[in-house]
Amino acid sequence: MKTNQPNHAVETVAAPHVGVVHVHEELPFWRRYIFSTDHKVIGLQYGFTALLFLLFGYIMMMMMRWQLAYPDTEFPKYYFVLPIAAIGAIIILMSGIKPSINTLIGILLLGLAALINYIASGEERMPDGIMLPEFYNQLGAMHGTIMVFLGIVPLAVGAFGNYVLPLQIGAPDMAFPKINMASYWAYFVGGVIMLVSFFVPGGAANSGWTSYPPLADIATTGQTLWLFGMVFLITSSLLGSINFIVTVLQLRAKGLTFFRLPFFVWAQFVTAFLLLLAFPPLEAAAVLQLMDRLAGTSFYLPSGLIVSGQVLPNTGGGSPLLWQHLFWFLAHPEVYVLILPGMGIVAEVIANNARKPLWGYKSMVYSLIFLGFMSFIVWAHHMFLTGMGTAISAFFQTTTMIISIPSVIILSCLFISLYGGSIRFNSPMLFALGFLPMFGIGGLTGLPLGLATSDIHLHDTYYVIGHFHYVVAPGTIFALFAGIYYWFPKVTGRTLNETLGKIHFWGSFVCMNFIFFPMLIQGLAGVSRRLSDGGQQYSHAQGVFQLNEVMSVAAWVMAIFQIFFIINLFISIKKGKKASENHWEATTLEWAAAPTPPIAHGNFGIVPEVHRGPYEYSLPGNAKDYSPQNELVKE
Amino acid sequence: MEIPYVVTARPETGIFNAKAGIWLFLASEVMLFGALFTTYILLRIGAPTWPHGELDVALATVNTAVLITSSITMVMAWASCLTKDFKKFRLYLGLTILLGATFMVIKYFEYSHHFHIGDIPSKNTFYAIYFTLTGLHGLHVLGGMIVNSYFWGPGSKMWKSEPVRFTNRIEVAGLYWHFVDLVWIFLFPTLYLL
Ligand code: HEM
Ligand SMILES: [Cu+2]
């Protein structure tokens, strides 16, 4: 029994000794860590792979930002390559030259440095270190693709979902462990295909992350690889989402009713439905684009299309808008896939550190479900300028306004939950608190985009870029950082360093706004997105051109603050302060699981039983200020 | 700690894990084929003319009958598991696989005839969508045949050790097979008759 438990000694399964699971024979290294079927290992695999991709996506962005700030000047690539190589080498040296996870990650970082060194040179990309517009397009398309499909989603869903969700519902593992492993490896293969595409003639995909035809239909080979890569990533999401839904439906612990589920589980549950139902149309769309590219069909090609002064040999008869519909039918739900897990994490961290129940938990859950449903019928707000007709525009404008209501409800509930709490300002909480206003800006800037009239001016400008980055970067990514700081003690039994965490937060918070707020200003001035010189040639861009340098410098400075995070992560794994078992004195079930749950031996010594709602903090008349879900209710 | 409800149903939901899984998978498949059928409608509405009578309705009718029969034999295979008649199970599942193979062979003749006279996917959007839809469906048939063959052969060992779990597997494989059949029942009139 823990010392801070009241004397009337309610029975809990959280007592330390029952957490220890007896050990069977050990699995070999490669079964334990590489081809593992354990949800925790798979979660960590997802996590580290996704973090590496996020780093790669970030570096590509920094290269683009150089070109935008100082068009057509030589790119100082060693400022970017050497630090990564150095960090990789230090990690390897720190962990000793032996097969271990750290060594592997160090080697991967060295590989990443080599990759960047490669793409930042070469006649067909950066002759004399000066970026060709064609290569800028590759970077743009791959930055978007990698950030969304290989970074954020795998981290938010694959890593946090896999690691935390089964623990929070008191399950021994995911419902289908082998399918779970297949899901990770499909993701891995998809990622490798995307990376390989940089090496084929013509380079990687360069038609934007949205891959609009006809451009994408006639683009270089990289686009074909992009499509194949996407098919793998879609398959991975599909397998994962089935697993999540079945796990929540079937494996909840006794007493864990749907309205006792932590909000994080709800968020993952709804997200899984979005992935399940929205991705297949993109798979269909990808197959059709592959047919266009490989079999010479014309699904997306209108008749008589002229390219470089010549009529395309294809028969035509297709429609470029077909792709846009199929793509956005996925990609709008996809933006909720990007945000909902983040909201889930923030809700957990806020309830825990405000030491209060979530205000309006039920309305948050209903909003979530409504949001999930509505996200399937707003997609064409990305297509107001395609000439769909006013009736259709009016419909999608209406649904878009409606869908912003549940987001506002959830955000308001989170804000109100803070009211009157005795807030602990630790690093996870700072990131969670940072999320709130940033997501607020992101959401509010979406409204003018959702109105067909104002979107005429804003569409395809930097304003759109500003809008969605506010939601995803200081929004979702902050939420993900909050999650990493919050669950790190669960995973490793140690805590991340608070001081480094706070430097990381404040540095990132300030830089984020210097990067993304100017985008809104540029966009309002009419500067188009996807220009490889930042609008240098346009007179209307001159007044706001100088902002490019501000944004770029902020982006590079923010990279320095991320180094604090990387260092923190690797030092704390080995040397961090020891965490107590329920480090944050939280109520949800993951903290009742075995401390740093053993791999491949189940999670709980005794199957937990749930007696309470998810956030019973500061109950009146209780000696301690939290009552875990598995604690019996006193008569 | 074992994963619960692998064999028995969870009381609240009334189903075991794999059955929940396959229904969700089929829901995603509905979205996949739904998107392709939508594509078909869009292309056809936009087309000034649409070819008629270029496909072999007789062969397709035979194929429809073949697939429907295979769905029946699939149910019989599952029913034989329930009545604990392993021999009959083998017979019916074997028949299901053979009928699937028959479907594929007929499809092969259809395809090679078209290719022979130059009706390739790039000829027009009709053939483009025809080959995409039937090709993807064919891949699904093939996938089902592979799974069924596994349960007919090496996978059937489980019958000895865990008969209930094995029966569940056959039920799940059956649900998938019926879905593949159902897709064809939509494809047949859409492509061949309308
Ligand atoms: C809360 C209310 C929101 C509204 C009303 C809204 C509205 C819009 C609209 C109308 C566009 C299209 C703009 C254009 O292309 O002209 C857009 C773009 C975008 N939004 Fe939102 N949005 C909202 C929230 C979100 C969230 C939560 C995310 C993601 C986490 C997000 C991510 C994106 C992305 C990625 C794009 C740009 C896609 C592209 O063209 O590359 N949005 N938003
Ligand atoms: Cu949208």
Side-chain angles (χ1 to χ4, degrees):
Chain A
M1 281 297 143
K2 269 182 234 98
T3 46
N4 53 0
Q5 248 160 23
N7 303 347
H8 47 264
V10 283
E11 254 299 307
T12 83
V13 259
H17 53 277
V18 294
V20 181
V21 187
H22 65 271
V23 174
H24 308 265
E25 83 281 14
E26 287 298 317
L27 294 167
F29 178 85
W30 63 276
R31 282 287 309 278
R32 267 170 79 87
Y33 296 111
I34 311 292
F35 294 103
S36 172
T37 56
D38 184 276
H39 73 101
K40 299 177 293 293
V41 179
I42 295 174
L44 294 175
Q45 288 176 328
Y46 260 116
F48 278 109
T49 318
L51 282 172
L52 279 170
F53 274 115
L54 282 175
L55 183 61
F56 182 47
Y58 194 80
I59 293 165
M60 291 199 287
M61 174 277 277
M62 290 197 285
M63 292 172 69
M64 288 190 285
R65 286 259 42 123
W66 178 272
Q67 168 71 9
L68 293 173
Y70 314 113
D72 303 327
T73 48
E74 192 185 338
F75 174 70
K77 73 172 175 183
Y78 290 111
Y79 288 125
F80 296 83
V81 174
L82 290 180
I84 299 172
I87 294 174
I90 292 171
I91 291 175
I92 295 177
L93 292 179
M94 259 172 47
S95 55
I97 318 278
K98 57 177 192 291
S100 76
I101 305 295
N102 278 8
T103 317
L104 180 65
I105 289 167
I107 293 172
L108 288 174
L109 280 173
L110 287 180
L112 181 62
L115 177 66
I116 295 174
N117 188 45
Y118 171 81
I119 64 169
S121 53
E123 282 303 305
E124 64 285 13
R125 286 178 298 272
M126 301 190 60
D128 304 321
I130 294 169
M131 191 179 292
L132 293 176
E134 292 83 352
F135 183 53
Y136 181 90
N137 286 344
Q138 290 177 38
L139 289 178
M142 294 313 282
H143 163 77
T145 305
I146 285 181
M147 285 303 203
V148 171
F149 296 110
L150 290 158
I152 307 267
V153 176
L155 187 56
V157 179
F160 282 107
N162 256 314
Y163 198 99
V164 178
L165 183 138
L167 294 177
Q168 281 197 332
I169 63 170
D173 203 318
M174 295 290 261
F176 309 115
K178 284 195 189 120
I179 291 185
N180 205 13
M181 177 177 91
S183 160
Y184 172 77
W185 286 104
Y187 158 62
F188 185 84
V189 172
V192 170
I193 293 178
M194 292 292 184
L195 292 182
V196 165
S197 72
F198 277 100
F199 297 87
V200 298
N206 45 32
S207 314
W209 80 285
T210 50
S211 287
Y212 276 13
L215 187 60
D217 262 17
I218 56 173
T220 48
T221 326
Q223 182 64 22
T224 306
L225 289 178
W226 187 90
L227 291 164
F228 276 118
M230 283 310 291
V231 169
F232 276 94
L233 296 178
I234 293 168
T235 308
S236 158
S237 288
L238 216 60
L239 297 177
S241 61
I242 293 174
N243 226 334
F244 282 115
I245 297 173
V246 176
T247 305
V248 174
L249 286 177
Q250 299 280 99
L251 303 192
R252 278 170 291 120
K254 188 156 171 260
L256 190 55
T257 56
F258 268 93
F259 276 116
R260 282 178 174 172
L261 285 181
F263 190 70
F264 174 80
V265 175
W266 265 111
Q268 292 284 349
F269 189 57
V270 173
T271 303
F273 273 101
L274 300 187
L275 286 172
L276 182 78
L277 300 178
F279 254 133
L282 183 69
E283 185 145 31
V287 169
L288 299 182
Q289 200 175 90
L290 275 172
M291 290 290 286
D292 273 6
R293 294 178 54 85
L294 300 178
T297 57
S298 303
F299 285 110
Y300 301 129
L301 297 174
S303 311
L305 192 69
I306 295 173
V307 176
S308 318
Q310 290 188 333
V311 180
L312 273 195
N314 299 50
T315 58
S319 156
L321 285 190
L322 173 61
W323 168 270
Q324 294 194 23
H325 280 294
L326 292 174
F327 181 84
W328 288 115
F329 187 85
L330 154 88
H332 187 85
E334 176 77 11
V335 306
Y336 286 94
V337 171
L338 295 173
I339 196 73
L340 295 184
M343 283 179 174
I345 294 171
V346 168
E348 296 299 303
V349 174
I350 283 188
N352 176 260
N353 287 304
R355 314 305 291 165
K356 277 183 64 198
L358 281 182
W359 192 90
Y361 165 80
K362 271 200 178 171
S363 42
M364 285 173 73
V365 170
Y366 286 127
S367 299
L368 197 63
I369 298 169
F370 183 62
L371 205 93
F373 174 75
M374 287 299 289
S375 71
F376 283 100
I377 49 170
V378 299
W379 79 88
H381 63 206
H382 295 270
M383 301 168 59
F384 285 140
L385 263 72
T386 57
M388 295 182 295
T390 47
I392 297 180
S393 290
F395 172 80
F396 282 103
Q397 154 172 323
T398 312
T399 52
T400 305
M401 292 303 114
I402 293 173
I403 201 178
S404 52
I405 297 169
S407 320
V408 173
I409 294 178
I410 293 178
L411 198 61
S412 309
C413 287
L414 290 173
F415 265 118
I416 299 173
S417 300
L418 297 172
Y419 183 76
S422 47
I423 300 175
R424 304 188 302 208
F425 288 97
N426 45 34
S427 349
M429 186 60 166
L430 286 178
F431 277 102
L433 290 175
F435 169 92
L436 298 179
M438 296 295 101
F439 176 71
I441 296 179
L444 288 177
T445 51
L447 294 178
L449 295 173
L451 296 168
T453 318
S454 38
D455 189 52
I456 293 175
H457 178 61
L458 297 171
H459 181 68
D460 254 344
T461 66
Y462 256 95
Y463 182 89
V464 177
I465 311 285
H467 153 66
F468 71 74
H469 279 96
Y470 257 107
V471 206
V472 187
T476 303
I477 292 187
F478 274 12
L480 296 174
F481 278 134
I484 292 175
Y485 283 92
Y486 182 69
W487 279 302
F488 190 85
K490 180 80 248 170
V491 178
T492 61
R494 295 173 186 275
T495 57
L496 285 165
N497 182 294
E498 273 293 312
T499 315
L500 290 176
K502 284 185 175 136
I503 297 174
H504 177 210
F505 170 74
W506 286 110
S508 304
F509 187 79
V510 171
C511 289
M512 282 280 187
N513 286 288
F514 274 100
I515 300 171
F516 296 120
F517 206 83
M519 291 190 183
L520 299 173
I521 299 171
Q522 283 196 334
L524 285 169
V527 180
S528 297
R529 66 196 281 194
R530 295 177 175 161
L531 296 175
S532 73
D533 60 0
Q536 201 185 23
Q537 298 165 17
Y538 291 90
S539 57
H540 68 261
Q542 296 313 313
V544 289
F545 188 76
Q546 287 312 317
L547 289 175
N548 276 334
E549 191 172 352
V550 177
M551 294 188 269
S552 297
V553 172
W556 300 322
V557 174
M558 192 163 82
I560 295 170
F561 286 104
Q562 305 317 303
I563 294 177
F564 285 90
F565 169 70
I566 298 175
I567 292 176
N568 198 351
L569 201 61
F570 282 100
I571 293 187
S572 302
I573 286 180
K574 286 267 164 63
K575 310 230 158 69
K577 243 192 7 237
K578 275 248 181 327
S580 62
E581 200 153 299
N582 184 350
H583 186 74
W584 310 104
E585 308 199 311
T587 51
T588 41
L589 279 187
E590 76 269 33
W591 302 99
T596 58
I599 291 160
H601 301 309
N603 295 325
F604 299 87
I606 296 171
V607 187
E609 214 176 285
V610 172
H611 305 286
R612 300 164 177 274
Y615 305 112
E616 303 215 344
Y617 287 104
S618 309
L619 289 188
N622 210 341
K624 61 187 186 354
D625 72 347
Y626 66 105
S627 311
Q629 286 196 277
N630 55 343
E631 188 177 282
L632 277 178
V633 181
K634 195 166 40 150
E635 292 308 318
Chain B
M1 220 166 115
E2 290 295 315
I3 295 169
Y5 310 118
V6 171
V7 182
T8 53
R10 181 174 171 122
E12 297 109 299
T13 56
I15 45 179
F16 52 88
N17 296 346
K19 199 154 155 186
I22 195 74
W23 278 116
L24 291 166
F25 176 68
L26 294 184
S28 86
E29 292 278 275
V30 168
M31 296 304 287
L32 178 73
F33 282 101
L36 291 170
F37 274 104
T38 314
T39 303
Y40 167 86
I41 295 169
L42 226 104
L43 289 175
R44 185 159 173 181
I45 289 175
T49 57
W50 197 251
H52 285 281
E54 300 202 5
L55 303 177
D56 194 329
V57 179
L59 277 184
T61 312
V62 173
N63 249 350
T64 311
V66 167
L67 270 196
I68 291 178
T69 317
S70 80
S71 254
I72 298 171
T73 54
M74 187 80 218
V75 176
M76 298 299 282
W78 178 50
S80 312
C81 282
L82 289 178
T83 55
K84 311 240 174 324
D85 190 341
F86 186 68
K87 275 219 179 82
K88 266 209 181 131
F89 156 75
R90 267 249 159 111
L91 171 70
Y92 282 121
L93 193 66
L95 276 177
T96 312
I97 299 165
L98 284 181
L99 287 166
T102 313
F103 176 90
M104 294 297 275
V105 170
I106 293 180
K107 206 76 219 148
Y108 167 78
F109 282 117
E110 267 192 88
Y111 267 31
S112 56
H113 171 70
H114 284 304
F115 281 129
H116 202 71
I117 59 173
D119 294 343
I120 51 174
S122 59
K123 187 178 175 195
N124 53 35
T125 42
F126 169 70
Y127 279 108
I129 191 77
Y130 164 77
F131 279 109
T132 310
L133 273 169
T134 53
L136 223 61
H137 175 261
L139 283 180
H140 279 77
V141 174
L142 196 66
M145 283 169 60
I146 292 172
V147 171
N148 286 346
S149 306
Y150 173 75
F151 289 141
W152 189 86
S156 66
K157 270 192 236 121
M158 190 187 254
W159 175 254
K160 288 246 166 58
S161 52
E162 295 174 90
V164 182
R165 190 165 173 201
F166 186 71
T167 309
N168 286 349
R169 287 190 163 185
I170 298 303
E171 185 184 2
V172 167
L175 283 171
Y176 171 80
W177 191 254
H178 299 322
F179 175 81
V180 174
D181 189 10
L182 191 69
V183 171
W184 176 257
I185 289 174
F186 278 94
L187 281 182
F188 173 51
T190 311
L191 294 171
Y192 288 80
L193 304 179
L194 289 176

